[in-house]
Amino acid sequence: MSDDETYDAGYDDWLDAVEEGEAYYLEGPEGDGWLPPRRVDPATGSRQLTEKRLPETGEVETFTVVHVPTPAFEQDAPFATAIARFGPARITGIVEADPSDVEVGMAVTVGVMETETTGDRAVVFRPQ
Amino acid sequence: MTDVRIAGVGLTKFGASPERTGRDLFAEAGLDALDDAGVDQDAVEALFYGNFMGELAEHQGHQGPLMAEAVGVDAPATRYEAACASSGVAVAEAVKNIRNGERDVVLVGGAERMTNLGTAGATEALAIAADDLWEVKAGMTFPGAYALMANAYFSEYGGDQEDLAAIAVKNHENAVPNEKAQYQREISIADVVEAPMVAEPLGLYDSCPISDGASALVLTSEAFAEEHDLDAPVSITGTGQGGDLMALHDRDYLARSPAADEAAAAAYADAGVSAADVDVAEVHDCFTIAEVLAMESLGLFEVGEGISAASEGKTTREGELPVNLSGGLKAKGHPVGATGASQLAEMTSLLRGDHPNSEYVEGATTGVTHNAGGTVASAVVHVLEVEQ
């Protein structure tokens, strides 16, 4: 089942931006970075959030190889899911690599993929 | 602050009963709790009920009144939802309700029907406890989220799969005499580390099972317990709840659970105790790594040291601080909406001396329960003390 029919403003806008090579994050007054949609900076409670360009390269901070997926990723498993840091923002994504090659500290770029199971868009990390 | 008495407890057997409805599960637990308390259902002034995935598993919302009806209680009934901490939150709210003098007798508990969804369906349902946009759409599963925390823990503090396996082995051993437990059988370290992977480094035996079940407690004011001469030696003396950002990647720490730190600090302050006073703990070990994070948040072990507590024998039933004598979520089972209140039910029995594992905590006065929701964006801690 595809949920492509539902457009989530903020989230899908961000995926569009990534596909166009214009990935961004929302920066709070103290330099913390977040993903949209947000009206408030969780770190300070401030409503002053500014769009900033996401650094080209991020670094994998932790990862796992998912063997038992949700039904929406049935044909994609096994795959590596990672949390990577891009400057002040952290992002969760699927690593486009052989799961056995993924490691902490790996440099990655962020992109958008279509999953094998549903064809839905998903955040992907591509090793540098 | 007024203490709240636990007058009675009730649990179904946790396990796979896919044909049983949520209402039947909760009726069994609720009626057992009322019988255990010696309190008539007509005395119950409200139901506080926890449930997580009722809409997905049973196409059933608005479960509060349904569950009150199932146990014959004619009183206001409200469902609380905080993922796997749903009935822990329900207990916390019930305690506040009695303390503020609004009511003297409440029924609190939870239920979850899960196995009728199958493994894939339950995995999908559990995943809704995570951030749908930024985690689930990126392939994250619930085991996957805890696996990310486990690998972050290993990177930061050390430890390995065998340390985690010792937790599973311990909790399975504890569950053997517990007739309410889903898995009353021992497993070995080899069974755990050689099991099929769910989300590396967590394998099948690092993970709690998918379970059906229900739990219930009859809580009363001290005045009611005394007036009606109830045999209710165990009190809830402290309650605390903490919160955190929803998505793991937005948190300050990937290998710690600050929401549970907050909940523990609040509960200890409320009870006037410290971590050093705790004799026994029931913690939310949905995955083996979760027991480590829980114990560290409770202050029972320093950050970075909880990983070896089980393998060094400190938290086994013969150890200095037994953890999860019920078998924990790992072996007792985890019908998510029932879990939080079930921890208090097990702890009450342990402290009263009528639990099959009470012999390992003879003389214990203070127990703590720790219930977590999601990747610990919600956490509830309760302190229980028994009259000597």
Side-chain angles (χ1 to χ4, degrees):
Chain A
M1 184 186 75
S2 170
D3 61 2
D4 272 353
E5 297 79 12
T6 301
Y7 192 91
D8 292 304
Y11 171 75
D12 279 302
D13 297 334
W14 189 84
L15 293 184
D16 292 345
V18 171
E19 286 177 331
E20 290 159 14
E22 295 174 0
Y24 61 92
Y25 66 95
L26 301 177
E27 187 181 70
E30 293 183 354
D32 297 289
W34 313 98
L35 297 167
R38 284 185 188 275
R39 291 170 187 258
V40 179
D41 171 33
T44 64
S46 168
R47 298 182 195 182
Q48 303 301 313
L49 287 167
T50 313
E51 273 191 29
K52 292 283 175 100
R53 191 169 181 84
L54 193 78
E56 289 289 324
T57 306
E59 184 180 309
V60 170
E61 291 195 353
T62 186
F63 71 96
T64 180
V65 181
V66 174
H67 293 264
V68 181
T70 59
F73 288 86
E74 197 174 1
Q75 292 157 39
D76 295 80
F79 57 88
T81 286
I83 293 177
R85 177 176 286 284
F86 292 78
R90 284 207 206 101
I91 302 170
T92 301
I94 294 172
V95 187
E96 194 175 75
D98 186 317
S100 61
D101 293 335
V102 179
E103 53 189 32
V104 171
M106 176 183 256
V108 293
T109 59
V110 67
V112 177
M113 63 177 273
E114 288 188 357
T115 69
E116 282 189 31
T117 312
T118 64
D120 288 344
R121 295 194 297 178
V123 177
V124 67
F125 297 141
R126 300 192 168 102
Q128 277 287 77
Chain B
M1 191 70 79
T2 310
D3 294 336
V4 171
R5 298 289 187 92
I6 301 177
V9 302
L11 292 172
T12 66
K13 181 175 175 65
F14 287 4
S17 54
E19 74 290 353
R20 289 187 68 184
T21 60
R23 69 189 81 183
D24 181 57
L25 291 166
F26 188 71
E28 180 188 336
L31 293 172
D32 281 355
L34 289 164
D35 290 347
D36 186 42
V39 168
D40 191 89
Q41 67 234 43
D42 293 340
V44 176
E45 298 168 281
L47 169 65
F48 294 71
Y49 170 79
N51 172 264
F52 175 47
M53 58 177 71
E55 288 85 351
L56 300 175
E58 296 197 280
H59 199 248
Q60 183 66 65
H62 202 193
Q63 292 197 7
L66 182 69
M67 297 304 164
E69 180 183 332
V71 292
V73 166
D74 180 12
T78 307
R79 169 184 166 189
Y80 291 82
E81 191 274 303
C84 307
S86 294
S87 62
V89 169
V91 172
E93 292 301 312
V95 167
K96 284 184 238 175
N97 196 249
I98 290 174
R99 280 177 162 181
N100 71 21
E102 188 171 344
R103 297 188 175 99
D104 284 305
V105 184
V106 304
L107 185 65
V108 59
E112 207 74 64
R113 183 182 185 183
M114 299 174 71
T115 65
N116 62 321
L117 292 168
T119 300
T123 301
E124 183 177 34
L126 286 166
I128 69 169
D131 184 329
D132 184 62
L133 295 181
W134 293 107
E135 296 186 312
V136 180
K137 288 187 192 305
M140 186 188 274
T141 61
F142 217 61
Y146 274 90
L148 291 169
M149 297 166 88
N151 275 328
Y153 190 101
F154 290 165
S155 296
E156 196 152 347
Y157 306 114
D160 57 28
Q161 282 177 280
E162 291 207 355
D163 289 318
L164 295 180
I167 295 167
V169 169
K170 167 182 72 71
N171 292 347
H172 271 259
E173 188 177 34
N174 289 343
V176 170
N178 186 356
E179 291 181 354
K180 303 297 185 184
Q182 186 159 355
Y183 295 137
Q184 289 181 270
R185 59 184 170 85
E186 294 189 22
I187 57 172
S188 68
I189 296 283
D191 289 335
V192 184
V193 297
E194 291 168 10
M197 276 292 152
V198 176
E200 297 176 28
L202 304 178
L204 189 61
Y205 287 114
D206 287 285
S207 311
C208 66
I210 295 165
S211 317
D212 307 306
S215 61
L217 313 168
V218 176
L219 304 184
T220 76
S221 64
E222 289 199 300
F224 183 93
E226 283 163 18
E227 190 180 327
H228 293 80
D229 199 24
L230 299 183
D231 180 18
V234 178
S235 296
I236 299 172
T237 59
T239 182
Q241 185 176 347
D244 206 338
L245 301 182
M246 184 74 164
L248 182 60
H249 62 228
D250 282 332
R251 310 246 182 91
D252 290 339
Y253 303 99
L254 298 178
R256 292 170 67 173
S257 50
D261 296 13
E262 283 176 27
Y268 290 155
D270 192 20
V273 302
S274 71
D277 296 314
V278 174
D279 298 310
V280 54
E282 285 286 316
V283 308
H284 195 98
D285 60 326
C286 47
F287 301 95
T288 46
I289 185 65
E291 179 165 310
V292 177
L293 303 179
M295 294 189 304
E296 293 180 1
S297 284
L298 290 168
L300 305 177
F301 292 90
E302 295 293 323
V303 172
E305 294 181 6
I307 186 75
S308 56
S311 58
E312 291 174 358
K314 293 174 181 169
T315 51
T316 59
R317 58 193 181 190
E318 307 282 3
E320 63 202 53
L321 179 67
V323 172
N324 284 329
L325 280 172
S326 67
L329 285 59
K330 176 68 201 76
K332 187 187 64 175
H334 182 31
V336 295
T339 287
S342 81
Q343 294 173 316
L344 281 98
E346 297 277 0
M347 183 60 75
T348 300
S349 295
L350 284 163
L351 294 175
R352 290 194 309 206
D354 56 52
H355 192 280
N357 283 327
S358 282
E359 64 185 282
Y360 300 105
V361 286
E362 274 180 25
T365 61
T366 307
V368 65
T369 63
H370 159 285
N371 183 206
T375 48
V376 206
S378 294
V380 186
V381 172
H382 285 99
V383 177
L384 276 63
E385 296 183 70
V386 63
E387 284 175 358
Q388 288 301 295

